[in-house]
Structures are given as structure tokens and as C-alpha cells.
Amino acid sequence: MDLGSDYATGRGVSQDYAKAVYWYKKAAAQGISAGETALGSLYANRHGVLKNYVKAVYWYRKAAAQGYIYAESNLGLAYLQGLGVPQDDTSALKWLILAKAGGLAAAAQALHILERVAAPAQVAQAQTLAKQWWARHHGTK
């Protein structure tokens, strides 16, 4: 995982997205949520692979199933923008609520903006869905 990050950022080595993909795939194959999320981000941003939002969402979902807040935030943004999934404000709210609950400040900012424009019923439904997901994937809170 660390080697993937090093190659993606050029930290201590020449930046090489193809090598980053290689190392992130190794981490993802072991079920490491940070590797899964990073691999998804490479697909979303066309770094070392062809841009493919569907594959990005696939990897974000795998990491989110482990309660990884960065993947939850990325899923929220994917649903908000309709990238790799149908655009769905309720799902976007759900994922951003989860990422905020996990302590991710950027998700809290995006959620604050989305809650201002979403219908109250959507917000309520998303809160219910987020509580159910949290109980299954993060433990009760």
C-alpha cells in the first residue's frame, strides 16, 4: 500500500501511476480498504488506467463495506454527480452522513451544502439508511 502511495505521489521515487496501480491492486487483493479506495481514485482520475467511474465505484464500495470513511465520502460524491452510478441525492446524503460521522471534515462540508438544497424527506430517509449502514459496518453509534 505504501509503495502505491509513493509511486502515486512521487514521494522518494519518480512518480509512476502504472506502478501505483500495480501496488494498489496488490493491496486491494488483500482487502486493504485504503488500497481499494486509492485504486478507485486512480480509475476516477485516469491515473495509470483508463478513466472508469464504474470501476472506481466498485472499489469504493468494497472499502466502504469495511467502514472506510474516505470510500464512503467518495461514494457520496459519485452519487451526487452521477459518476459510475445513477445520480441520487438520497444516496449521496447517506454516504456523506456516514463519512461525517466517521470524522471526515470534507464530507461534513459537502453534506452541509447538500442538506440545504435537498428535500427534508430525502434527508430523513438518508439519515435512516446511514444509521442502518453504520450499525452493520461500523458498530452501533
Side-chain angles (χ1 to χ4, degrees), residues 57-71:
V57 166
Y58 169 82
W59 289 110
Y60 297 154
R61 283 188 197 284
K62 288 184 72 70
Q66 298 177 64
Y68 193 61
I69 61 173
Y70 296 98

Side-chain angles (χ1 to χ4, degrees), residues 45-76:
N45 295 298
R46 202 182 116 204
H47 292 308
V49 291
L50 294 175
K51 185 175 279 195
N52 188 324
Y53 292 118
V54 172
K55 285 186 179 181
V57 166
Y58 169 82
W59 289 110
Y60 297 154
R61 283 188 197 284
K62 288 184 72 70
Q66 298 177 64
Y68 193 61
I69 61 173
Y70 296 98
E72 292 168 344
S73 179
N74 288 351
L75 278 172

